[in-house]
Amino acid sequence: MFQIGGLIVFCGLLTQTTALLEALPLPLGQAQPLPLTPALASSPTDLAGSLTSALSNGLLSGGLLDSLTNLPLLDILKSEGGNSGGLIGGLLGRVTSVIPLLDNILDVKVTNPQLLELGLVQSPDGHRLYLTIPLGVVLNVKTPLVGSLLKLAVKLNITAEILAVRNEQGRIHLVLGDCTHSPGSLELSLLDGVGSLPIQNLVDSLTGVLTKVLPELVQHQVCPLVNSVLANLDMTLVHDTVDKLIHGLTFVIKV
């Protein structure tokens, strides 16, 4: 009986001593360890946002805007007309009848290239992504004597399919599937023009050819760049994205 009573008294004293020690301030420079908490998994919207941001940054750092600025539009427009001298010759034929100062030299310059906010959509089965790349430029049709003749605002969307595939070494990575311009996404609008000219006829002729050649021309510049950006994404981001696509898990939230 004495031994049991002594044990109870000892435990009571130990409990009080422990409580007093916990109440004492810690020595200077000694931090109390924080309680461990399980790491929170990134939310689906975080993953989709990180992927979209990485793709946008990759396109910009990869020279997308420069490639738009250097589009060979003048050569394309000249070649469209064949033996008739191309659209440029046709335009000059109309314009010189009104303003004799215009010579046989006409330049088409791309300015103010823009990459607008990317759009990301996941397929219904969850196994692929569709990236919408909205682009904008301003076309300046110029002559050496008169200066700016026409100024057109151009908007165009490129749609890129992103897939998770397994290579010969068994590694799964992101690759570019179909990549093309979005049908009907090309928009051309007149920003400025020389008021004394038959502007509407010029705009109709110019936009008619641009509608045929510009989407494919831009597509050939943008799609290889998208493929290059996918190949150089952060490996952790690629792994997380591939894991979702392989298992068909939704991580792109529709808004």
Side-chain angles (χ1 to χ4, degrees):
M1 179 69 68
F2 173 77
Q3 292 179 349
I4 296 176
L7 180 60
I8 293 174
V9 172
F10 174 75
C11 291
L13 292 173
L14 181 60
T15 302
Q16 293 179 5
T17 304
T18 303
L20 290 173
L21 289 174
E22 290 178 348
L24 291 175
L26 291 172
L28 186 62
Q30 180 177 340
Q32 185 174 1
L34 296 174
L36 295 178
T37 56
L40 296 176
S42 59
S43 68
T45 51
D46 288 342
L47 178 56
S50 297
L51 179 60
T52 304
S53 178
L55 291 170
S56 180
N57 292 336
L59 289 171
L60 291 174
S61 62
L64 171 64
L65 301 185
D66 287 339
S67 66
L68 294 178
T69 302
N70 296 320
L71 288 174
L73 281 177
L74 183 60
D75 295 337
I76 295 295
L77 293 176
K78 285 182 177 180
S79 65
E80 277 296 304
N83 296 330
S84 64
L87 173 65
I88 300 301
L91 288 176
L92 287 172
R94 298 181 188 181
V95 175
T96 51
S97 64
V98 180
I99 298 182
L101 291 176
L102 297 180
D103 199 358
N104 291 330
I105 300 176
L106 198 64
D107 186 25
V108 180
K109 186 177 181 180
V110 179
T111 61
N112 196 30
Q114 292 181 319
L115 172 63
L116 306 178
E117 184 177 357
L118 299 182
L120 192 65
V121 176
Q122 195 168 1
S123 63
D125 62 9
H127 293 301
R128 65 193 66 205
L129 298 171
Y130 296 99
L131 179 70
T132 300
I133 307 170
L135 305 169
V137 298
V138 173
L139 300 184
N140 295 275
V141 182
K142 293 184 176 181
T143 62
L145 296 179
V146 176
S148 180
L149 177 64
L150 289 177
K151 184 175 290 187
L152 294 171
V154 180
K155 291 184 179 180
L156 175 67
N157 292 344
I158 300 295
T159 300
E161 181 187 39
I162 300 176
L163 307 171
V165 301
R166 190 183 304 274
N167 61 17
E168 296 178 353
Q169 290 74 34
R171 296 179 57 188
I172 300 177
H173 56 287
L174 296 175
V175 298
L176 180 66
D178 292 334
C179 184
T180 183
H181 60 276
S182 304
S185 68
L186 178 64
E187 297 180 12
L188 293 164
S189 57
L190 181 65
L191 294 178
D192 193 14
V194 179
S196 58
L197 296 177
I199 293 299
Q200 193 57 52
N201 289 338
L202 295 174
V203 172
D204 290 344
S205 297
L206 187 59
T207 56
V209 175
L210 290 176
T211 300
K212 291 192 300 180
V213 301
L214 189 58
E216 187 172 351
L217 185 62
V218 173
Q219 174 185 322
H220 287 326
Q221 297 292 325
V222 175
C223 292
L225 183 55
V226 176
N227 198 36
S228 176
V229 171
L230 289 174
N232 290 281
L233 286 176
D234 175 76
M235 291 307 299
T236 300
L237 180 59
V238 172
H239 178 272
D240 292 345
T241 303
V242 165
D243 182 66
K244 298 290 186 183
L245 294 178
I246 290 296
H247 296 93
L249 301 176
T250 301
F251 69 98
V252 180
I253 307 300
K254 295 181 180 180
V255 293

